[in-house]
Amino acid sequence: MSHPSQTSTSTTQPANLIAVHAANTASGSRGFRLAATALALAAPIAPPALASQEKPAAEVEHRSTLTRVREGGTPFNPKQTLIPYAIDLAGGGEGGLADLPSTGLIESPAEYSPTRGVLYQYGNSWNSVVTALVASLTGSAQYDEIAYVVVANQTTANSAAAAFSAAGANLSKVVFIVQPNNSVWMRDYGPHFIFQSGTLGVVDSHYYPTRPQDNFIPTLVGDATFSVPTFDQGLYYSGGNFQPGPNRSGFCTALINLDNPAAGGHNEALIRELYQSFQGIDTLHIMPQLPFSVDGTGHIDMWMYLADENTAVISEFIAGSNATAISVTNNAVPYMQALGFEVFRPKAWNVGATHYTYANAFRVNNRIFIPCYGTQLAPGGNTAYNDEDADALAKWQAAAGPGVQIVPIQCSSIITASGAIHCIVKQVPRATNALPSAHVLAPAGGEVWLQGYSQTIVWNATDTNNAPLANVDLAYSLDGGTNWTAIANAIADTGKFTWVPPAGANSASALLRVTARSTDGDTTIAISNPFRIASGTAAILDFAAGAGVNKFGFGSQTTSWNSANASPVATALTAANYTALSSSNATGTATDTNRYIGATVASGSEATNLFRFVIPGSTADIDEIKVQWEGFAANCTQVELYVWNNALSQWGDFQGRVGQNRFVDNFAGNQDEMLVASIRSNIGNYIAADGSMRFLVYAERSADETYHDYMAVTVIRADDPCTGDLDGNGAVDGGDLATLLSAWGPCVGCAADIDGNGAVDGGDLATLLSAWGGCP
């Protein structure tokens, strides 16, 4: 069988690699064989007397109340299909979701892809297992991978460093990340890494609500440690229930449908759309879930692992095991073989509620770390499991092929908490391109940037081997890229730069260029999608002067999300509330009085706030409307921002989609974050006859309060150098005529209503024809 080349490179580590990152308080190969030699299924053999084996003392070491099983239990559908199936989204999803990596090519590095390092957590429980992993990863001079270790404070970091050093770790390859946390289960709450046009990014899904500090780790680590963009995926799933594979595929269990039920707005179509839009998964394979009595997590990593693009390891439950567990794993074998995988099957079994598995392993380049439970491969286990360890080691070595080292890690203690080593680590992908990669995030394309107003250029850049970039150059073009004007040269690669477009810089198709430069002089260029630069005005509607006849807020709670209620709450905000909302100035905890703190929310109800703004002047000449809300909700609850769609009489987004989870933006964290979105087309659908727009701020979980720091709407009107250029291509032509004729008739606020009389009619046609030709 074929295996990708994944040998680590030995490199000299920088002297300052040992680092502590303070909390951010400011806010392989893609191809695979389609045919493979199938491994014949061997008859299951039961180890002698396993069912009655007493657990040794090591197995109860470090018991923790924060096991891998969620509080309240894991959902399970006893009527689930036992046959795997695929959801294929190749060719593109619906797109247009808010707060997603909406530009560039999105890819999830496969489970076995080249790895720069591994994330761990140390300090709460099973420290000896983490220590063994860190020592095994970093101890040899042959390898260069970094151990990134999350700790709660510097004292814990010092303790961990001492333990790691005593175990043989090389501390020059250990980076401590000081962030608040709840548990050791890094795989489940940790970041989902992606590549966006070759640049590294982080996607943050939702984790257990009773572990809010864990829930927010991905965003904090992305922002403060790796300094990469983070995207909030409105999907509830633990990382152990997802493995990205070859050809933009992903694998999970049917638990994904129970965690995100259709009754809560997550039908299967939305789930697959989220996976593709945020993580670049075109085909999602849904495997059956093990029964709760066998495995308390429901996660795929407890019984299947993708060793490479050709090879899968699937547990084989011993004779006498749960019949459903045997069917689930046996049925997965021909399914994976049909996809082109060769399958290897180490044993699995239960002792009471403890599920022993060898599939809960992880790959780091040319090493695969596997669990063991006996005494011959690693000290501290149970001699009764030596034969099973030997069998698993042989099958893993056969699956890995030549040149790959199998590293056993003693897991007798941690497996009693329904998890092993894949559960407590997260691989950090390694950028392998010979040249650095760069990508422009803002402008994303289509924006109206006004001359004389501050704008924020946002980019991301990643160098080979994840090395820091030396500097970047910024420039803009007004003529589609023929000529470029420098904005800044050789500035630090911070990912953001404030720029004021100069007077006279008019363009309907401006471009922004980022040139990223590595320390050895290699460069790469990223160019934005076209956007508009023009003169004009931006009217900001906020509560800086309090409320009034043109702006109001209401807040309280509702018992459920209501898609057809334009006024779900009616309790008016107070003057003090408006003062707190008037500026972005909260810096403290949830009790900071610079925030409007929503009313206490009863169990079974959800925090709900309504904001109403009257848009001044005619809607016909509005080029863009931006909405901005800043805040968060208790316990890292997802906060969602919706706009009322008058045409459809429902809450939704700015793309014309309505219903639950069709928000304009969302965030789940425990510090202030901006929810921002813009509308540039069909503006009349969102402005009522009285000129008002309504926005809903909704917390998507019972009994959690919301904390609001700022709310504003900005109305942008650009000066029109070419009346009638409806499509902005720099000329009044047939495309504009077609747009006008298609909108003929009553049309409040639409762009084709050039004279703003509430209808597209002969007056607008006359204006367009009189301007026919090229624009100045």
Side-chain angles (χ1 to χ4, degrees):
M1 87 190 108
S2 169
H3 297 271
S5 175
Q6 294 178 310
T7 304
S8 297
T9 347
S10 179
T11 60
T12 303
Q13 299 300 316
N16 63 347
L17 187 57
I18 302 179
V20 175
H21 297 271
N24 178 12
T25 57
S27 11
S29 172
R30 281 288 171 189
F32 73 105
R33 273 185 301 136
L34 295 180
T37 303
L39 180 68
L41 299 182
I45 301 174
L50 279 182
S52 61
Q53 194 66 239
E54 290 292 328
K55 297 183 182 72
E59 292 196 30
V60 296
E61 176 193 15
H62 296 310
R63 278 197 184 275
S64 170
T65 56
L66 294 182
T67 69
R68 202 186 189 203
V69 180
R70 76 186 66 179
E71 295 81 355
T74 301
F76 178 74
N77 177 14
K79 298 181 180 180
Q80 69 172 343
T81 174
L82 298 183
I83 305 299
Y85 65 97
I87 300 172
D88 191 355
L89 208 67
E94 295 179 39
L97 290 165
D99 190 38
L100 54 70
S102 57
T103 57
L105 177 65
I106 308 303
E107 299 176 284
S108 283
E111 177 68 31
Y112 42 79
S113 291
T115 301
R116 182 65 188 102
V118 181
L119 272 164
Y120 311 87
Q121 185 276 348
Y122 182 97
N124 289 340
S125 52
W126 299 291
N127 291 335
S128 61
V129 181
V130 177
T131 298
L133 287 168
V134 172
S136 297
L137 183 79
T138 67
S140 171
Q142 181 181 353
Y143 302 103
D144 73 338
E145 294 89 0
I146 306 299
Y148 301 96
V149 186
V150 174
V151 291
N153 49 54
Q154 186 59 51
T155 300
T156 303
N158 295 341
S159 175
F164 296 164
S165 181
N170 182 346
L171 293 184
S172 71
K173 293 183 281 188
V174 176
V175 174
F176 288 108
I177 304 168
V178 178
Q179 297 287 7
N181 57 81
N182 298 115
S183 73
V184 72
W185 309 109
M186 178 61 71
R187 173 71 52 175
D188 291 341
Y189 61 77
H192 311 300
F193 288 101
I194 61 168
F195 281 114
Q196 182 179 19
S197 294
T199 64
L200 190 64
V202 163
V203 169
D204 189 351
S205 62
H206 301 325
Y207 184 55
Y208 303 164
T210 52
R211 306 178 190 180
Q213 293 176 328
D214 286 350
N215 201 356
F216 200 38
I217 282 289
T219 293
L220 292 176
V221 167
D223 289 348
T225 303
F226 295 107
S227 298
V228 299
T230 59
F231 304 99
D232 299 301
Q233 182 180 19
L235 200 63
Y236 184 102
Y237 81 92
S238 299
N241 195 36
F242 173 71
Q243 289 184 46
N247 296 336
R248 301 176 64 83
S249 66
F251 296 79
C252 65
T253 73
L255 177 62
I256 191 69
N257 297 313
L258 301 179
D259 279 341
N260 302 277
H266 283 92
N267 57 28
E268 197 167 79
L270 179 58
I271 291 174
R272 67 192 187 194
E273 180 185 344
L274 287 165
Y275 268 112
Q276 186 185 60
S277 299
F278 282 86
Q279 296 184 247
I281 300 300
D282 292 339
T283 303
L284 185 64
H285 298 276
I286 309 293
M287 318 298 280
Q289 180 182 343
L290 292 179
F292 186 78
S293 60
V294 175
D295 174 69
T297 71
H299 297 170
I300 197 169
D301 70 351
M302 291 299 285
W303 59 272
M304 189 175 94
Y305 189 78
L306 303 180
D308 61 35
E309 76 273 27
N310 301 316
T311 312
V313 172
I314 298 176
S315 292
E316 183 176 31
F317 277 89
I318 65 173
S321 295
N322 180 279
T324 300
I326 292 175
S327 295
V328 166
T329 49
N330 285 354
N331 289 344
V333 174
Y335 183 85
M336 296 300 290
Q337 290 171 337
L339 294 177
F341 288 90
E342 187 172 1
V343 177
F344 293 83
R345 305 200 68 188
K347 294 179 175 62
W349 67 94
N350 276 78
V351 177
T354 300
H355 170 202
Y356 287 84
T357 175
Y358 293 98
N360 198 265
F362 67 98
R363 182 165 191 158
V364 179
N365 300 313
N366 65 346
R367 290 182 287 175
I368 299 178
F369 297 79
I370 68 169
C372 66
Y373 309 103
T375 57
Q376 292 182 342
L377 299 184
N382 187 332
T383 57
Y385 302 149
N386 284 342
D387 289 346
E388 289 65 48
D389 280 0
D391 174 76
L393 179 63
K395 288 174 178 173
W396 266 108
Q397 192 65 70
V404 179
Q405 178 186 2
I406 307 300
V407 183
I409 300 294
Q410 183 56 249
C411 290
S412 290
S413 62
I414 195 171
I415 197 63
T416 60
S418 299
I421 53 176
H422 186 264
C423 319
I424 62 173
V425 305
K426 186 70 176 181
Q427 297 99 315
V428 179
R430 184 190 297 261
T432 58
N433 293 337
L435 297 176
S437 300
H439 181 70
V440 180
L441 289 94
E447 296 96 326
V448 180
W449 281 17
L450 296 180
Q451 302 161 15
Y453 288 81
S454 292
Q455 311 290 346
T456 302
I457 300 168
V458 184
W459 71 91
N460 189 28
T462 301
D463 199 4
T464 312
N465 206 35
N466 302 19
L469 274 295
N471 52 60
V472 300
D473 300 337
L474 303 177
Y476 70 96
S477 172
L478 302 176
D479 54 13
T482 301
N483 297 286
W484 293 91
T485 301
I487 297 173
N489 290 325
I491 62 173
D493 178 33
T494 60
K496 291 185 178 181
F497 185 85
T498 300
W499 176 54
V500 179
N506 291 299
S507 177
S509 56
L511 298 173
L512 193 289
R513 185 179 69 190
V514 174
T515 303
R517 189 173 296 104
S518 66
T519 54
D520 60 1
D522 292 334
T523 61
T524 191
I525 292 175
I527 298 177
S528 73
N529 291 324
F531 66 106
R532 183 180 178 188
I533 301 177
S535 59
T537 60
I540 299 176
L541 310 177
D542 60 17
F543 297 107
V549 294
N550 62 345
K551 48 192 175 182
F552 284 103
F554 306 87
S556 187
Q557 57 190 335
T558 50
T559 56
S560 64
W561 193 89
N562 190 336
S563 64
N565 189 344
S567 299
V569 289
T571 303
L573 301 190
T574 67
N577 297 154
Y578 289 125
T579 299
L581 282 166
S582 64
S583 63
S584 175
N585 62 347
T587 58
T589 64
T591 60
D592 190 336
T593 56
N594 286 321
R595 292 190 186 90
Y596 151 50
I597 302 173
T600 300
V601 182
S603 177
S605 294
E606 293 165 322
T608 307
N609 280 268
L610 170 69
F611 296 97
R612 177 180 177 271
F613 296 86
V614 176
I615 307 302
S618 169
T619 60
D621 59 352
I622 297 175
D623 293 276
E624 184 172 345
I625 294 178
K626 292 183 179 180
V627 58
Q628 174 182 324
W629 178 88
E630 182 178 3
F632 65 100
N635 297 316
C636 289
T637 291
Q638 177 168 292
V639 183
E640 301 165 349
L641 177 63
Y642 296 84
V643 63
W644 181 255
N645 188 316
N646 294 282
L648 299 177
S649 297
Q650 290 192 58
W651 295 105
D653 60 18
F654 279 148
Q655 283 75 46
R657 298 171 307 175
V658 293
Q660 190 171 12
N661 297 306
R662 292 304 189 182
F663 36 73
V664 298
D665 203 355
N666 77 108
F667 172 68
N670 57 18
Q671 65 185 29
D672 282 338
E673 179 73 7
M674 294 285 190
L675 300 187
V676 180
S678 295
I679 179 173
R680 306 180 193 101
S681 61
N682 299 315
I683 293 176
N685 289 346
Y686 304 94
I687 300 178
D690 63 357
S692 67
M693 294 186 75
R694 293 171 183 253
F695 298 94
L696 177 70
V697 176
Y698 186 79
E700 187 73 88
R701 196 164 59 217
S702 169
D704 287 333
E705 288 77 22
T706 48
Y707 309 99
H708 312 244
D709 189 25
Y710 185 61
M711 180 70 189
V713 171
T714 302
V715 181
I716 297 174
R717 290 181 168 90
D719 297 331
D720 193 353
C722 186
T723 301
D725 181 17
L726 302 180
D727 58 13
N729 69 345
V732 180
D733 52 22
D736 306 303
L737 178 60
T739 299
L740 186 145
L741 293 177
S742 66
W744 196 269
C747 192
V748 177
C750 62
D753 181 17
I754 299 173
D755 58 14
N757 69 345
V760 179
D761 50 24
D764 304 304
L765 178 60
T767 301
L768 184 146
L769 294 176
S770 66
W772 196 269
C775 293

